[in-house]
Amino acid sequence: ETVMTQSPATLSVSPGERATLSCRASQSVSRNLAWYQQKPGQAPRLLIYGASTRATGIPARFSGSGSGTEFTLTISSLQSDDFAVYYCQQYNHWPPYTFGQGTKLEI
Amino acid sequence: QVQLVESGGGVVQPGRSLRLSCAASGFTFTSHGMHWLRQAPGKGPEWVAGISYDGSNKQFLDSVQGRFIISKDIAKNTLYLEMYSLRAEDTGVYYCAKEITAYTYGYDAFDWGQGTLVTVSA
């Protein structure tokens, strides 16, 4: 099973600042990586797939990069609506698909 | 617009059974792989089971293999998860999800439904 490790567990930032979230895979997942946003009481929402492709309707301030084992989600100018938990997921080696433990983005 | 609406969750005793349903709309149900995922309280998501777009292939998490069955009813545009011999560790919100790319199975990201809560407790 491919283990996904996210860092940091919690990131405290202010609105308007840039946030950088990291995700590391225990083995290469090529570019088969997705990022999701989850707010309390809601389902995860797809932000990025293929490591860097924004999903439909996702603002340009969200960007993804990386390949192999190291990936980054960058939110260029944080808005109040962006404070949530973010998960990375690999879909290169399955079953099972595996997720990171999440990064909580807080004010 | 893609809609995935889960139902069937509830409180169930250990060892008992439950069937979850997911009503799909807004896309061609026969063209996309479908999956169930779950999320225990305070934890990250966990993939549980998947079924190919044509229903010919099915995969399961090791811990549910032999206890859970995934199926789809094309006429009703509905995905199912039958869960047997439920355990406390099966507790969580269960999400239905569709692969974002048509005519593939696996190796893809997901669009998710809103989830249904399953609690396994005596």
mmCIF file of all heavy atoms in Angstrom, chain A residues 1-4 26-27 90 93 95-99, chain B residues 46 61-62:
data_model
loop_
_atom_site.group_PDB
_atom_site.id
_atom_site.type_symbol
_atom_site.label_atom_id
_atom_site.label_comp_id
_atom_site.label_asym_id
_atom_site.label_seq_id
_atom_site.Cartn_x
_atom_site.Cartn_y
_atom_site.Cartn_z
ATOM 1 N N GLU A 1 0.831 -1.196 0.000
ATOM 2 C CA GLU A 1 0.000 0.000 0.000
ATOM 3 C C GLU A 1 0.872 1.256 0.000
ATOM 4 O O GLU A 1 1.896 1.306 0.686
ATOM 5 C CB GLU A 1 -0.914 -0.026 1.230
ATOM 6 C CG GLU A 1 -1.642 1.216 1.549
ATOM 7 C CD GLU A 1 -2.628 1.055 2.697
ATOM 8 O OE1 GLU A 1 -3.293 -0.001 2.800
ATOM 9 O OE2 GLU A 1 -2.714 1.990 3.507
ATOM 10 N N THR A 2 0.474 2.232 -0.791
ATOM 11 C CA THR A 2 1.214 3.487 -0.880
ATOM 12 C C THR A 2 0.779 4.413 0.256
ATOM 13 O O THR A 2 -0.391 4.767 0.353
ATOM 14 C CB THR A 2 0.962 4.171 -2.231
ATOM 15 O OG1 THR A 2 1.303 3.275 -3.286
ATOM 16 C CG2 THR A 2 1.798 5.444 -2.347
ATOM 17 N N VAL A 3 1.720 4.785 1.092
ATOM 18 C CA VAL A 3 1.412 5.655 2.221
ATOM 19 C C VAL A 3 1.624 7.110 1.799
ATOM 20 O O VAL A 3 2.664 7.466 1.230
ATOM 21 C CB VAL A 3 2.299 5.336 3.431
ATOM 22 C CG1 VAL A 3 2.031 6.307 4.574
ATOM 23 C CG2 VAL A 3 2.062 3.890 3.887
ATOM 24 N N MET A 4 0.621 7.931 2.075
ATOM 25 C CA MET A 4 0.685 9.360 1.762
ATOM 26 C C MET A 4 0.857 10.147 3.047
ATOM 27 O O MET A 4 0.085 9.947 4.001
ATOM 28 C CB MET A 4 -0.595 9.795 1.037
ATOM 29 C CG MET A 4 -0.938 8.950 -0.190
ATOM 30 S SD MET A 4 0.342 8.947 -1.437
ATOM 31 C CE MET A 4 0.247 10.650 -2.014
ATOM 32 N N SER A 26 5.014 7.295 -0.446
ATOM 33 C CA SER A 26 6.036 6.323 -0.052
ATOM 34 C C SER A 26 6.694 5.640 -1.248
ATOM 35 O O SER A 26 7.743 5.006 -1.104
ATOM 36 C CB SER A 26 5.434 5.268 0.878
ATOM 37 O OG SER A 26 4.398 4.558 0.224
ATOM 38 N N GLN A 27 6.091 5.742 -2.412
ATOM 39 C CA GLN A 27 6.679 5.285 -3.666
ATOM 40 C C GLN A 27 6.156 6.190 -4.779
ATOM 41 O O GLN A 27 5.167 6.899 -4.579
ATOM 42 C CB GLN A 27 6.330 3.818 -3.939
ATOM 43 C CG GLN A 27 4.849 3.542 -4.082
ATOM 44 C CD GLN A 27 4.554 2.074 -4.324
ATOM 45 O OE1 GLN A 27 5.206 1.425 -5.157
ATOM 46 N NE2 GLN A 27 3.580 1.528 -3.611
ATOM 47 N N GLN A 90 -3.563 9.469 -3.796
ATOM 48 C CA GLN A 90 -2.888 8.885 -4.959
ATOM 49 C C GLN A 90 -3.814 7.882 -5.613
ATOM 50 O O GLN A 90 -4.564 7.160 -4.936
ATOM 51 C CB GLN A 90 -1.547 8.249 -4.563
ATOM 52 C CG GLN A 90 -1.644 7.006 -3.701
ATOM 53 C CD GLN A 90 -1.910 5.719 -4.482
ATOM 54 O OE1 GLN A 90 -1.644 5.643 -5.695
ATOM 55 N NE2 GLN A 90 -2.458 4.713 -3.805
ATOM 56 N N HIS A 93 -1.485 3.502 -7.640
ATOM 57 C CA HIS A 93 -1.376 2.122 -7.159
ATOM 58 C C HIS A 93 -2.651 1.806 -6.383
ATOM 59 O O HIS A 93 -2.864 2.309 -5.298
ATOM 60 C CB HIS A 93 -0.173 1.967 -6.227
ATOM 61 C CG HIS A 93 1.132 2.388 -6.836
ATOM 62 N ND1 HIS A 93 1.785 1.644 -7.789
ATOM 63 C CD2 HIS A 93 1.891 3.484 -6.632
ATOM 64 C CE1 HIS A 93 2.894 2.256 -8.148
ATOM 65 N NE2 HIS A 93 2.983 3.380 -7.466
ATOM 66 N N PRO A 95 -5.970 -1.504 -6.042
ATOM 67 C CA PRO A 95 -6.473 -1.096 -4.725
ATOM 68 C C PRO A 95 -5.404 -1.247 -3.647
ATOM 69 O O PRO A 95 -4.504 -2.072 -3.807
ATOM 70 C CB PRO A 95 -7.622 -2.071 -4.488
ATOM 71 C CG PRO A 95 -7.273 -3.295 -5.297
ATOM 72 C CD PRO A 95 -6.542 -2.798 -6.487
ATOM 73 N N PRO A 96 -5.476 -0.480 -2.564
ATOM 74 C CA PRO A 96 -6.467 0.560 -2.370
ATOM 75 C C PRO A 96 -5.952 1.928 -2.804
ATOM 76 O O PRO A 96 -4.751 2.169 -2.813
ATOM 77 C CB PRO A 96 -6.649 0.544 -0.858
ATOM 78 C CG PRO A 96 -5.272 0.239 -0.336
ATOM 79 C CD PRO A 96 -4.653 -0.688 -1.360
ATOM 80 N N TYR A 97 -6.853 2.830 -3.185
ATOM 81 C CA TYR A 97 -6.521 4.237 -3.246
ATOM 82 C C TYR A 97 -6.151 4.651 -1.812
ATOM 83 O O TYR A 97 -6.740 4.160 -0.861
ATOM 84 C CB TYR A 97 -7.737 5.064 -3.662
ATOM 85 C CG TYR A 97 -8.242 4.797 -5.050
ATOM 86 C CD1 TYR A 97 -9.318 3.938 -5.261
ATOM 87 C CD2 TYR A 97 -7.687 5.427 -6.156
ATOM 88 C CE1 TYR A 97 -9.813 3.699 -6.527
ATOM 89 C CE2 TYR A 97 -8.178 5.197 -7.438
ATOM 90 C CZ TYR A 97 -9.240 4.335 -7.614
ATOM 91 O OH TYR A 97 -9.724 4.092 -8.875
ATOM 92 N N THR A 98 -5.216 5.585 -1.680
ATOM 93 C CA THR A 98 -4.838 6.026 -0.348
ATOM 94 C C THR A 98 -4.782 7.551 -0.264
ATOM 95 O O THR A 98 -4.479 8.228 -1.246
ATOM 96 C CB THR A 98 -3.492 5.424 0.084
ATOM 97 O OG1 THR A 98 -2.518 5.632 -0.957
ATOM 98 C CG2 THR A 98 -3.628 3.932 0.353
ATOM 99 N N PHE A 99 -5.091 8.017 0.935
ATOM 100 C CA PHE A 99 -5.165 9.441 1.214
ATOM 101 C C PHE A 99 -4.144 9.821 2.276
ATOM 102 O O PHE A 99 -3.788 8.994 3.131
ATOM 103 C CB PHE A 99 -6.559 9.798 1.741
ATOM 104 C CG PHE A 99 -7.658 9.640 0.741
ATOM 105 C CD1 PHE A 99 -8.191 8.391 0.461
ATOM 106 C CD2 PHE A 99 -8.170 10.741 0.078
ATOM 107 C CE1 PHE A 99 -9.211 8.235 -0.471
ATOM 108 C CE2 PHE A 99 -9.201 10.600 -0.849
ATOM 109 C CZ PHE A 99 -9.708 9.350 -1.123
ATOM 110 N N GLU B 46 -11.161 6.956 3.452
ATOM 111 C CA GLU B 46 -10.642 5.616 3.199
ATOM 112 C C GLU B 46 -11.471 5.011 2.080
ATOM 113 O O GLU B 46 -12.704 4.955 2.166
ATOM 114 C CB GLU B 46 -10.746 4.763 4.465
ATOM 115 C CG GLU B 46 -10.282 3.329 4.289
ATOM 116 C CD GLU B 46 -10.406 2.528 5.579
ATOM 117 O OE1 GLU B 46 -11.512 2.487 6.159
ATOM 118 O OE2 GLU B 46 -9.393 1.921 5.993
ATOM 119 N N LEU B 61 -11.523 -3.107 -0.366
ATOM 120 C CA LEU B 61 -10.533 -2.977 0.692
ATOM 121 C C LEU B 61 -10.398 -4.338 1.372
ATOM 122 O O LEU B 61 -11.403 -5.040 1.558
ATOM 123 C CB LEU B 61 -11.008 -1.913 1.676
ATOM 124 C CG LEU B 61 -10.104 -1.523 2.825
ATOM 125 C CD1 LEU B 61 -8.857 -0.803 2.320
ATOM 126 C CD2 LEU B 61 -10.879 -0.646 3.807
ATOM 127 N N ASP B 62 -9.173 -4.714 1.742
ATOM 128 C CA ASP B 62 -8.967 -6.035 2.326
ATOM 129 C C ASP B 62 -9.871 -6.292 3.531
ATOM 130 O O ASP B 62 -10.415 -7.391 3.702
ATOM 131 C CB ASP B 62 -7.503 -6.195 2.764
ATOM 132 C CG ASP B 62 -6.576 -6.448 1.590
ATOM 133 O OD1 ASP B 62 -7.080 -6.683 0.465
ATOM 134 O OD2 ASP B 62 -5.348 -6.403 1.783
#
